[in-house]
Amino acid sequence: MRSPLNRRYSREFKKNAGRYICTFLLLVITIIIGSGFLCVMESVKYSLDEYLIANKVEDGYFETAFPIVDNIKSMLEEEDIVLCDNFYSTVEEFDGDTKIFVFDERKEMNIPALFEGKLPADDNEIAVDRLFAENHDINVGDSLELNNIKFTVSGTVSLPDYSSLFMNNQDLVMNTTGFGVSMVSREGFDKFDESTVTYRYSYRHKARNLSDKEKIEAANRIQKILIGNGVNVQDFLIAKNNQSISFLPNDMGKDGPVMEVLIYILVVIIAFVFAVLSAHTIEKEAPIIGTLRSMGYKKRELVLHYITLPVIVTILASVVGNALGYTVMIEPFKRIYYNTYCLPPLTLQFNWAAFVKTTVIPIVIMIAVNLVLLINKLSLSPLRFLRKDLNKRKQKRAAKLPDFKFINRFRIRVILQNKGSYLVLFFGIFLSSFLLMFGIGLKPLMDYYVDTIDDTLPYEYQYILKGPVEAEGGEKVLIYSLETEYYLTGNNVEVTFYGIQEDSEIFTDFTIPTEENHIVVSDSFAKKLKVDVGDEIIFEDTVYEKKYTLVVDEICPYTNNLGAYMSIEDLCKLLDKDAGTFNCYVSQEKLDIDDAYIAKFMNRSDFLGAAKQMMISFGSVIAIINVFSVFAYLVLMYLLTKIVIDKNSLYISFMKVFGYEKKEIRRLYLDASAIVVLVSLLICLPLEAYLIKMVLIYISSLIEGYMDFYLPASVYLQIVVIGAVAYFAINALHLQKVKRIPMNEALKNRE
């Protein structure tokens, strides 16, 4: 026989439709974001892994000043590698300050994946990176003029060695607008002037099961062969250290735990909201529950009754959330990745782990939280329910309050009586405000980073040379890379050493150390590695297997890289190089240097463009975070402040009977909630700022550079204003609720 209690479900839902609809929507949005994001993330990860294997991504590359001869190639191939020419021509000023690397045809290694059109076959055809083409409105069939040579776009592709568009390996972030890659046929590449060509050679180990240590050892042997045979090596990178290859595989999946934690926190908060709502319902219906218990209904039956609606709402929200997450949200989340990375075509995969994380676990959490509370509440005797005596902890006397005015003491009583609801409200405000602060604060943070680089970058132009050449107007610099251990991860990070002239007119922000083995480090270096003046740092040259212990003399304000500075004479001596050795010019004006001697050329916009790209890449993410956090904020605040009104409806009714006006009732009850909300907003601000600091430290541990914490006062003000405006909008709804509380409520509930 069906339980008579089942007839109460529809009435209960109609009576509290607002709370159930709000929590349903909050759960749906939480699961939509979780399921959609995790599905796309896992699918992208799967597609990328398959792509790198099938398209034979390189294990490393090196660039030389001039082509290497066949006998050196033969010596290198004895290291059990496949060696391929991977030459490219640099187009310096395409569509403004944009640079393009035009690669020679690829068939054996770093094979492109085709998106649209076809690969170049004729000498006048070119295939352009899909992301670069989208950002510059380039379509198949368009004509491009590169280095005074006309090409027709035959197709759009992605290159496995450029899944992330880093023009320079030490860039903090990618640069998908100011840098791009493309590919032409062998005949088409022959059209480029030799002065624009960079001689890059990619290699791939024949043995595919080498450890990272074995790959590094093989790379060291390759470098020694090259240098030992007089080859001028301009650049050497193994795939593990090449951000264009390794950044995305290393980054894939790291957003997942953050999203999962966010989902679980929100579900727990929603579960507590349901629990508080259920507890309120039990308190309100205590006489009915006491009557039912007296009539023989078991505690198990009542627990099942009161948990049914929350579970039904949760299951429905999970079904709707997953249905929408795997359909309408796939494309927006796909665009987040495909607007940022140069990925192959996506193969969508249904992910059971994501389904469990976004659906099964939330349902389990919801049931567990509600069960614990309901079992605890319904363990009282029927007599106590009949008497509405539901407090397990007896408070013999009210807490003594200071001698405030009546209205202030009354507000304090309201807050103390509803402290459980207000505590949940505090956590809801903290979470949604944190999301909002992160979304609002990211743009000024990036603007600050760009401005800081712009203010502290000491030169306008940098020329990395293929070989020594004299030039007027610039300062000679010796640039060399060493590695040091990063305390957070235990892995090595690359540090760029600058040997500069003692009479430098460019590097004027610090004093060049005069003592041997003393250095000046950049501000970014000092903050990321937590070093101070006087600290000793151990650096390692992995090529020559040498270690150096150097002392920090000073910290200079530069933020564009992880840099260490010393005189060019001391750096030559440290590295056992001939006195006067240099490989770079820096200057405030363009120099007259033959292009044949320039390996890389960078100007101020190249350094700044990468940072500006981050805002473009994450613009859609910021929008989603902001919209979601505001919605979560409104729903949580509405539900939890509504509980306070509902719990005090009897007393509000009494006050109406006693002649209190609507304005006075608002001051007593609604203003108490307003005080809690505003105090919570202010208390949460430093906690949220600290959490963002921790997030930035975590982000810095994943990248080569360092991003310092910065939030202007306007961000804090926006959080408070948005929170206050949201609350007072909700407060207006509660005023309507107060108006509808009848005076006969007091007469019906006389004790």
Side-chain angles (χ1 to χ4, degrees), residues 23 43-44 61 108 117 131 152 195 240 289 300 318 344 346 381 401 511 529 541 557 564 674 677 690 727 736:
T23 48
S43 298
V44 168
Y61 78 78
E108 298 179 58
L131 179 57
T152 300
S195 64
K240 182 176 182 291
I289 294 171
R300 173 178 53 81
S318 300
L346 181 65
S381 66
L401 298 177
T511 303
L529 279 79
D541 188 333
V677 169
Y690 178 78
Y727 171 74
Q736 301 304 314

Side-chain angles (χ1 to χ4, degrees), residues 517-536:
N517 295 335
H518 281 239
I519 57 173
V520 173
V521 298
S522 66
D523 183 69
S524 295
F525 179 100
K527 288 178 176 176
K528 177 164 182 170
L529 279 79
K530 285 194 177 296
V531 301
D532 208 341
V533 174
D535 289 351
E536 290 187 348

Side-chain angles (χ1 to χ4, degrees), residues 532-709:
D532 208 341
V533 174
D535 289 351
E536 290 187 348
I537 307 174
I538 298 174
F539 294 94
E540 183 179 2
D541 188 333
T542 56
V543 177
Y544 294 102
E545 299 178 351
K546 292 182 179 180
K547 291 187 177 182
Y548 310 96
T549 301
L550 305 177
V551 180
V552 178
D553 249 20
E554 188 180 337
I555 297 171
C556 66
Y558 303 156
T559 59
N560 61 300
N561 61 13
L562 302 183
Y565 303 84
M566 58 198 309
S567 71
I568 193 168
E569 292 81 6
D570 287 344
L571 184 56
C572 288
K573 185 177 180 181
L574 181 74
L575 302 175
D576 292 328
K577 293 185 178 293
D578 295 336
T581 300
F582 70 98
N583 57 8
C584 173
Y585 276 105
V586 295
S587 66
Q588 306 296 5
E589 304 290 339
K590 276 195 172 183
L591 303 181
D592 184 18
I593 301 177
D594 192 328
D595 290 340
Y597 289 94
I598 300 174
K600 288 182 182 177
F601 167 73
M602 287 174 284
N603 57 27
R604 181 176 292 269
S605 63
D606 294 329
F607 290 102
L608 302 181
K612 292 177 181 177
Q613 170 60 30
M614 182 175 280
M615 285 307 300
I616 298 172
S617 301
F618 292 98
S620 54
V621 179
I622 294 170
I624 290 173
I625 289 174
N626 286 343
V627 170
F628 177 71
S629 58
V630 170
F631 180 81
Y633 193 91
L634 291 171
V635 171
L636 287 171
M637 196 175 292
Y638 172 78
L639 286 172
L640 295 169
T641 51
K642 183 178 183 296
I643 290 171
V644 177
I645 302 298
D646 290 343
K647 288 181 72 174
N648 291 280
S649 60
L650 173 62
Y651 305 106
I652 293 172
S653 181
F654 271 121
M655 297 186 78
K656 286 186 175 182
V657 171
F658 293 151
Y660 280 85
E661 296 179 356
K662 181 182 68 174
K663 181 180 179 181
E664 293 171 312
I665 295 172
R666 177 187 61 77
R667 291 178 64 195
L668 291 172
Y669 284 96
L670 297 184
D671 285 4
S673 296
I675 292 169
V676 172
V677 169
L678 293 175
V679 170
S680 297
L681 282 169
L682 295 174
I683 292 175
C684 286
L685 287 178
L687 299 176
E688 293 154 6
Y690 178 78
L691 188 56
I692 289 180
K693 281 184 182 179
M694 296 301 101
V695 170
L696 289 177
I697 290 173
Y698 172 72
I699 291 173
S700 294
S701 70
L702 305 178
I703 60 178
E704 290 294 322
Y706 178 80
M707 187 177 295
D708 201 5
F709 172 79

Side-chain angles (χ1 to χ4, degrees), residues 7 12 54 85 106 121 172 189 245 398 415 423 446-447 482 528 559 562 620 626:
R7 298 177 182 178
E12 169 67 16
D85 296 350
R106 300 168 163 201
L172 179 65
F189 191 79
I245 295 174
I415 292 171
L423 183 62
M446 288 306 304
D447 289 341
L482 298 175
K528 177 164 182 170
T559 59
L562 302 183
S620 54
N626 286 343

Side-chain angles (χ1 to χ4, degrees), residues 261-289:
V261 170
L262 173 63
I263 292 168
Y264 298 152
I265 289 174
L266 285 169
V267 170
V268 169
I269 288 178
I270 296 167
F272 273 111
V273 171
F274 266 128
V276 172
L277 293 173
S278 298
H280 171 58
T281 302
I282 291 170
E283 290 174 6
K284 192 173 182 179
E285 299 185 353
I288 298 172
I289 294 171

Side-chain angles (χ1 to χ4, degrees), residues 110-365:
N110 297 323
I111 302 168
L114 184 66
F115 271 86
E116 185 182 4
K118 64 184 182 71
L119 295 177
D122 297 334
D123 62 358
N124 66 335
E125 292 182 333
I126 187 171
V128 181
D129 175 77
R130 187 265 321 164
L131 179 57
F132 183 81
E134 288 181 3
N135 289 337
H136 288 268
D137 197 24
I138 298 172
N139 300 303
V140 174
D142 288 354
S143 295
L144 299 180
E145 185 172 327
L146 307 175
N147 288 345
N148 299 318
I149 305 170
K150 290 186 177 180
F151 292 96
T152 300
V153 178
S154 65
T156 56
V157 297
S158 66
L159 304 182
D161 54 332
Y162 276 95
S163 58
S164 305
L165 289 177
F166 287 91
M167 184 174 66
N168 301 296
N169 198 54
Q170 279 211 334
D171 284 347
L172 179 65
V173 292
M174 296 159 287
N175 191 352
T176 59
T177 55
F179 172 63
V181 292
S182 59
M183 189 188 76
V184 296
S185 65
R186 181 62 47 83
E187 295 76 14
F189 191 79
D190 289 339
K191 292 182 176 181
F192 287 100
D193 190 276
E194 190 175 344
S195 64
T196 69
V197 173
T198 299
Y199 302 103
R200 175 181 291 184
Y201 297 88
S202 297
Y203 68 87
R204 183 176 166 88
H205 296 288
K206 293 179 181 177
R208 302 308 305 155
N209 57 350
L210 296 181
S211 66
D212 287 342
K213 182 180 178 182
E214 290 172 324
K215 290 178 181 178
I216 292 172
E217 291 173 347
N220 290 340
R221 291 195 299 271
I222 291 170
Q223 283 184 275
K224 288 179 181 178
I225 291 172
L226 292 169
I227 296 172
N229 285 275
V231 177
N232 187 347
V233 179
Q234 299 293 318
D235 195 8
F236 195 112
L237 274 177
I238 61 172
K240 182 176 182 291
N241 297 331
N242 185 349
Q243 289 204 91
S244 295
I245 295 174
S246 64
F247 182 86
L248 179 54
N250 290 339
D251 188 56
M252 284 305 302
K254 289 180 179 175
D255 298 330
V258 176
M259 184 62 72
E260 290 167 24
V261 170
L262 173 63
I263 292 168
Y264 298 152
I265 289 174
L266 285 169
V267 170
V268 169
I269 288 178
I270 296 167
F272 273 111
V273 171
F274 266 128
V276 172
L277 293 173
S278 298
H280 171 58
T281 302
I282 291 170
E283 290 174 6
K284 192 173 182 179
E285 299 185 353
I288 298 172
I289 294 171
T291 302
L292 291 171
R293 290 291 305 278
S294 301
M295 293 172 61
Y297 278 87
K298 296 179 181 178
K299 183 171 70 173
R300 173 178 53 81
E301 294 175 297
L302 294 178
V303 169
L304 182 63
H305 173 73
Y306 283 104
I307 203 174
T308 298
L309 271 180
V311 170
I312 289 174
V313 170
T314 303
I315 292 174
L316 287 176
S318 300
V319 171
V320 174
N322 276 285
L324 295 175
Y326 285 104
T327 52
V328 299
M329 289 305 294
I330 291 297
E331 189 61 29
F333 281 119
K334 176 185 172 184
R335 296 312 304 171
I336 289 175
Y337 282 102
Y338 279 76
N339 284 345
T340 307
Y341 300 106
C342 307
L343 288 157
L346 181 65
T347 303
L348 200 61
Q349 301 282 317
F350 180 80
N351 189 273
W352 282 103
F355 176 76
V356 170
K357 292 171 183 175
T358 60
T359 305
V360 176
I361 292 179
I363 292 175
V364 170
I365 291 175

